[in-house]
Amino acid sequence: MKITFYEDAFLNASWHTGGMKGAVIMKKVVIFGGVSLLLCLGLITFCEAKLKEEMSSQREEAVVLTGVVDRIEDEKTAVILIEDMKIQLEVPVSEFAIDFVPNLWLDVVLINDDIDGITVNHERTHAEHENMRKLFERLKKRIKKIQSKD
């Protein structure tokens, strides 16, 4: 937008106050109006930017969390523990094509706090099962050692 001030129009203007004083008042009114318009446009631009920022923050952002099946309740609900966030998810077993069993590690995809998908994390499940096996072996050795002393 282009704003042009015509000095001659102000000088030739005759208000009820008359003469030069009327032209000065008119010039101030036009300048004040122009500044007000620019401020309003700036405020509108600022509000538009804030609105766009808020809307973009509400976009669907997928978050992948790793959790473990803790237990199955009533053969209908799998209780999944997400250790990183210290939360527990209760998932209807019938909604996913997964054979939920305790100690099964899963990757849970959340979009806006809703479960969008669940996949089995085979690598983590295998690694955790191997760790448990090793711990049991160490425990068995300690038990045998204690029993042999008696």
Side-chain angles (χ1 to χ4, degrees), residues 16-34:
H16 60 46
T17 56
M20 193 66 168
K21 189 175 180 183
V24 170
I25 291 172
M26 186 172 178
K27 186 174 184 178
K28 287 181 180 180
V29 168
V30 170
I31 290 172
F32 177 75

Side-chain angles (χ1 to χ4, degrees), residues 66-115:
T66 301
V68 63
V69 177
D70 181 55
R71 64 189 178 278
I72 309 296
E73 294 179 343
D74 300 327
E75 297 181 8
K76 295 179 183 177
T77 305
V79 178
I80 302 169
L81 302 179
I82 309 293
E83 292 180 356
D84 292 343
M85 298 180 69
K86 307 239 185 281
I87 60 172
Q88 170 179 304
L89 303 175
E90 294 180 6
V91 178
V93 173
S94 60
E95 290 185 18
F96 298 95
I98 294 175
D99 185 22
F100 290 98
V101 293
N103 301 318
L104 181 68
W105 284 84
L106 306 168
D107 290 327
V108 181
V109 179
L110 294 178
I111 296 180
N112 295 337
D113 295 331
D114 292 325
I115 297 175

